[in-house]
C-alpha cells in the first residue's frame, strides 16, 4: 500500500471523509465517557511548526497522547531545517523515525516536497494555500449541529485565503454551494474557483452573499506572514465583517464559524462569538477529535 498523505482535502475521497467524520464523533463520545484507547501506542508524530499555533499544536499533541502515542514539537529555531538542510533530506530522516509527520509552513511546496520522499504519512497543518485539518473540524461541527451539509449554502466572508481555498475543496467533496464575499483583488485561487464550477460563486457584496445562507464563515484579514499588510488590509476589508446584523440575513438557524484566533472589531463584531448561532468553541474542540480520526486513518489505515 502506498503511503497516504493529507496535504489537501482532495487526498481523501468523499466516502472516506464521511467515514472519518463519523469516526471522529465516535472518538469524541468515547473520550468524553472516559474510555481509554491506545490504538497509537508506541507511535510517534513529528510536528514541524514554522508558524505559530495554539489549536493545532495542542490538538495534535493531546490527540497523540490520548491514543497512547507521543508527539515531538520541532521548531526551525532548533532543527537543521531552520539552518537550510534540504526539505527532502529532512523528510528522509524524520520519516525513518516517526510514524507520521505534521507540517505547518509557508510555501505549500514545502509539504509536497516533504511528502514526495516521506516513508510516513504527511499532514498539512496549514500552508499559505490550504488548511485542510480545519475543514475536518468545521465539517464535523456542522454535521453534529445540523446533520448533513449536502445541498446547504455556505457563505465565506473576507479574504480568499488558505481557509477559503480549503472551503472550495470542501464544497466539491461535501456537495454544498459556496458563496465567497471578498473585496476585488482578494479572491481565492482562480484555478480552484474555475475547477469548482457551479459549486462556488464569487458574490462581492457580503449582504447579498449572506442572504438565506446556512453557514457564515470568516477568518482574519491578514494571515500569518502578512503582518506588514495589516493596516492596508484593515482599510480594504472594512465592509467585510460578520455581525449579528449580517447573520439576520442568513437562514433562521444559520451557524457561524471562525477557525480562530479571532480579531473582534475587525472580521467579526465584538459580540459575534456569543451569537446564538456561533459554534466556534465546538469547532475548535473538534480539531482534537477529527485529527485523532485522521491519525488513526493515516497510520493504521482504519476507521473503526
Ligand atoms: N485554527 C488554527 O489553526 O489555530 P492555530 O493557529 O492556533 O493552530
Ligand atoms: N488564515 C489564517 C488561519 C489561521 C489559523 C492564517 O493563515 O494565519
Amino acid at each position: 500500500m502506498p503511503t497516504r498523505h493529507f496535504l489537501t482535502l482532495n487526498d481523501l475521497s468523499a466516502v472516506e471523509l464521511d467515514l472519518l467524520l463519523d469516526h471522529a464523533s465516535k472518538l469524541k463520545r468515547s473520550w468524553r465517557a472516559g474510555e481509554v484507547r491506545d490504538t497509537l501506542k508506541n507511535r510517534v508524530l513529528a510536528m514541524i511548526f514554522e508558524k505559530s499555533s495554539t489549536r493545532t499544536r495542542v490538538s495534535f499533541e493531546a490527540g497523540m497522547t490520548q491514543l497512547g502515542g507521543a508527539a515531538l514539537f520541532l521548531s526551525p529555531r532548533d532543527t537543521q531545517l531552520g539552518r537550510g538542510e534540504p526539505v527532502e533530506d529532512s523528510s528522509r530522516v524524520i520519516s525513518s523515525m516517526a510514524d507520521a509527520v505534521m507540517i505547518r509552513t509557508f510555501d505549500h511546496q514545502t509539504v509536497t516536497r516533504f511528502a514526495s520522499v516521506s516513508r510516513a504519512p504527511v499532514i498539512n497543518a496549514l500552508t499559505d494555500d490550504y488548511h485542510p485539518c480545519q475543514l475536518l473540524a468545521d465539517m464535523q461541527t456542522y454535521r453534529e449541529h445540523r446533520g448533513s451539509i449536502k445541498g446547504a449554502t455556505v457563505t465565506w466572508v473576507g479574504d480568499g485565503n488558505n481557509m477559503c481555498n480549503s472551503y472550495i475543496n470542501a464544497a466539491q467533496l461535501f456537495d454544498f454551494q459556496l458563496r465567497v464575499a471578498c473585496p476585488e483583488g482578494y479572491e481565492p485561487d482562480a484555478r480552484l474557483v474555475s475547477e469548482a464550477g457551479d459549486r462556488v460563486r464569487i458574490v462581492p457584496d457580503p449582504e447579498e452573499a449572506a442572504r438565506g445562507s446556512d453557514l457564515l464563515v470568516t477568518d482574519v484579514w491578514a494571515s500569518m506572514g502578512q503582518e506588514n499588510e495589516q493596516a492596508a488590509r484593515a482599510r480594504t476589508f472594512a465592509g467585510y465583517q460578520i455581525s449579528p446584523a449580517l447573520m439576520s440575513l442568513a437562514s433562521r438557524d444559520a451557524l457561524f464559524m471562525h477557525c480562530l484566533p479571532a480579531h473582534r472589531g475587525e472580521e467579526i463584531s465584538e459580540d459575534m462569538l456569543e451569537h446564538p448561532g456561533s459554534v466556534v468553541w465546538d469547532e475548535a474542540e473538534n480539531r482534537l477529535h477529527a485529527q485523532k480520526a485522521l491519525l488513526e486513518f493515516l497510520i493504521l489505515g482504519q476507521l473503526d
Side-chain angles (χ1 to χ4, degrees):
M1 265 267 291
T3 305
R4 299 281 299 264
H5 303 293
F6 187 60
L7 307 187
T8 72
L9 273 188
N10 292 332
D11 285 327
L12 268 63
S13 68
V15 170
E16 286 171 331
L17 285 166
D18 258 354
L19 290 172
L20 189 140
L21 295 186
D22 284 346
H23 189 51
S25 295
K26 203 185 84 191
L27 289 178
K28 180 177 182 173
R29 287 192 294 277
S30 140
W31 177 71
R32 286 187 169 176
E35 288 165 19
V36 175
R37 190 176 175 92
D38 61 358
T39 46
L40 297 184
K41 190 160 184 261
N42 292 332
R43 307 292 185 134
V44 173
L45 171 70
M47 307 191 300
I48 299 170
F49 279 99
E50 298 190 330
K51 288 177 173 173
S52 303
S53 167
T54 297
R55 280 143 288 270
T56 303
R57 179 177 176 182
V58 175
S59 54
F60 270 113
E61 199 162 329
M64 280 305 288
T65 304
Q66 289 167 17
L67 294 173
L72 300 176
F73 176 74
L74 303 172
S75 131
R77 264 214 314 263
D78 319 305
T79 61
Q80 301 291 3
L81 254 178
R83 297 179 63 250
E85 182 169 13
V87 170
E88 289 82 358
D89 295 0
S90 304
S91 171
R92 285 194 173 90
V93 174
I94 295 170
S95 71
S96 72
M97 303 178 191
D99 297 279
V101 184
M102 184 234 82
I103 307 175
R104 169 168 284 197
T105 189
F106 294 85
D107 188 350
H108 189 73
Q109 277 201 10
T110 303
V111 296
T112 54
R113 283 173 57 199
F114 197 105
S116 70
V117 293
S118 177
R119 273 160 54 176
V122 176
I123 298 170
N124 174 5
L126 183 146
T127 61
D128 289 346
D129 295 345
Y130 299 99
H131 194 5
C133 290
Q134 185 66 52
L135 262 293
L136 295 181
D138 287 22
M139 294 298 103
Q140 183 185 346
T141 307
Y142 189 92
R143 59 152 65 186
E144 286 180 349
H145 282 270
R146 296 284 182 267
S148 172
I149 198 166
K150 186 177 162 72
T153 300
V154 177
T155 296
W156 174 269
V157 180
D159 191 17
N161 62 12
N162 44 10
M163 275 295 299
C164 184
N165 287 338
S166 285
Y167 259 94
I168 294 175
N169 291 155
Q172 296 162 87
L173 285 157
F174 291 93
D175 199 8
F176 60 80
Q177 295 297 320
L178 179 67
R179 299 175 187 159
V180 178
C182 57
E184 201 184 330
Y186 293 88
E187 293 87 0
D189 187 312
R191 183 183 54 85
L192 285 182
V193 174
S194 111
E195 281 171 9
D198 60 6
R199 284 284 183 296
V200 178
R201 204 154 58 89
I202 308 286
V203 183
D205 175 13
E207 295 194 354
E208 186 190 336
R211 202 152 281 137
S213 185
D214 301 295
L215 168 65
L216 264 61
V217 197
T218 190
D219 185 15
V220 291
W221 289 340
S223 286
M224 290 182 275
Q226 298 171 333
E227 288 77 7
N228 60 2
E229 298 173 32
Q230 173 69 41
R233 283 171 170 263
R235 288 190 293 276
T236 308
F237 284 90
Y240 290 82
Q241 182 185 78
I242 297 189
S243 63
L246 196 68
M247 283 293 285
S248 72
L249 301 175
S251 79
R252 209 160 52 84
D253 61 351
L255 296 178
F256 163 69
M257 292 190 200
H258 189 311
C259 63
L260 306 176
H263 294 75
R264 293 170 176 82
E266 295 183 22
E267 77 276 3
I268 55 163
S269 59
E270 295 288 342
D271 52 357
M272 195 53 224
L273 297 187
E274 288 73 44
H275 186 278
S278 168
V279 289
V280 295
W281 310 121
D282 291 343
E283 180 189 3
E285 183 191 318
N286 279 338
R287 293 292 304 277
L288 172 69
H289 311 298
Q291 289 160 199
K292 281 165 77 173
L294 177 69
L295 287 164
E296 287 195 353
F297 176 67
L298 292 177
I299 296 174
L300 305 174
Q302 65 187 50
L303 284 172
D304 56 32

